[in-house]
Amino acid sequence: WKDEDSGSSSGGGSGSGSGSTGNTQEPDGSDLPFIDVTTGDWYYEAVKFAYENKLFSGVSDTDFGADITMTRSMLVTVLYSMEGKPAVSGGTNFVDVPESAWYHDAVIWAAQNNIVTGYSENQFGSNDSVTREQIALILYNYAKSKGYDVSQYGNLGVFADEDQVSD
């Protein structure tokens, strides 16, 4: 992910295909600067919305990273961006969240607002791929922090992999 403030970038976690996708196609007249997102892609409008609203900035000036796996740090950065990147104070005990990291403030903000926790007191899992269960919990916690009604529950039995969901 490219930090718009510093211009530095970082791809996803281990095994995520981080960095450039190797796509060398020319831009196709889209309103986006990314060569790996074209107007014919099913996700084009979603990427355009996210980019124009400064929710996602891509992994470089020319690559969005549409084919990489989202990490825990990426997800909290999106939520932090949605909130307008509020100022944070204090630090973190997470050894895998260095002060110089593009996601540092986002992780602190999310932890201070009870949106995320780490795997332990010292380990956030910054570059780990975010699982569906983690996404659900993080979005639930975010909605709760916003005062949204989170009382509705669904039946996981409708999913073929229901037996693989943690308690």
Side-chain angles (χ1 to χ4, degrees):
W1 277 41
K2 183 174 62 73
D3 182 338
E4 291 182 10
D5 297 327
S6 71
S8 65
S9 65
S10 174
S14 61
S16 68
S18 62
S20 175
T21 61
N23 187 338
T24 58
Q25 72 187 55
E26 293 297 316
D28 68 344
S30 78
D31 296 329
L32 299 172
F34 309 119
I35 61 174
D36 62 339
V37 178
T38 62
T39 54
D41 292 329
W42 65 266
Y43 47 81
Y44 175 80
E45 290 298 325
V47 170
K48 183 177 176 185
F49 176 87
Y51 179 74
E52 289 176 347
N53 288 282
K54 300 183 188 291
L55 302 177
F56 292 73
S57 58
V59 296
S60 76
D61 290 339
T62 59
D63 284 319
F64 180 74
D67 293 327
I68 67 171
T69 302
M70 180 173 264
T71 64
R72 291 169 51 86
S73 56
M74 288 176 172
L75 180 55
V76 297
T77 299
V78 171
L79 298 176
Y80 179 64
S81 296
M82 287 173 56
E83 291 302 309
K85 296 183 179 181
V88 296
S89 60
T92 179
N93 291 332
F94 298 135
V95 296
D96 61 339
V97 181
E99 227 176 290
S100 61
W102 53 269
Y103 49 82
H104 177 264
D105 288 356
V107 172
I108 290 176
W109 168 83
Q112 289 176 345
N113 286 282
N114 299 314
I115 295 167
V116 296
T117 60
Y119 296 138
S120 70
E121 191 174 301
N122 302 48
Q123 188 74 28
F124 176 68
S126 302
N127 292 318
D128 291 352
S129 298
V130 64
T131 67
R132 289 186 304 166
E133 291 169 296
Q134 291 170 355
I135 292 170
L137 180 59
I138 291 168
L139 293 179
Y140 171 84
N141 288 340
Y142 176 72
K144 198 166 144 184
S145 78
K146 299 289 291 176
Y148 298 151
D149 180 4
V150 294
S151 63
Q152 295 291 318
Y153 288 88
N155 178 2
L156 294 178
V158 300
F159 298 100
D161 60 352
E162 154 194 31
D163 61 332
Q164 298 173 26
V165 177
S166 301
D167 290 332

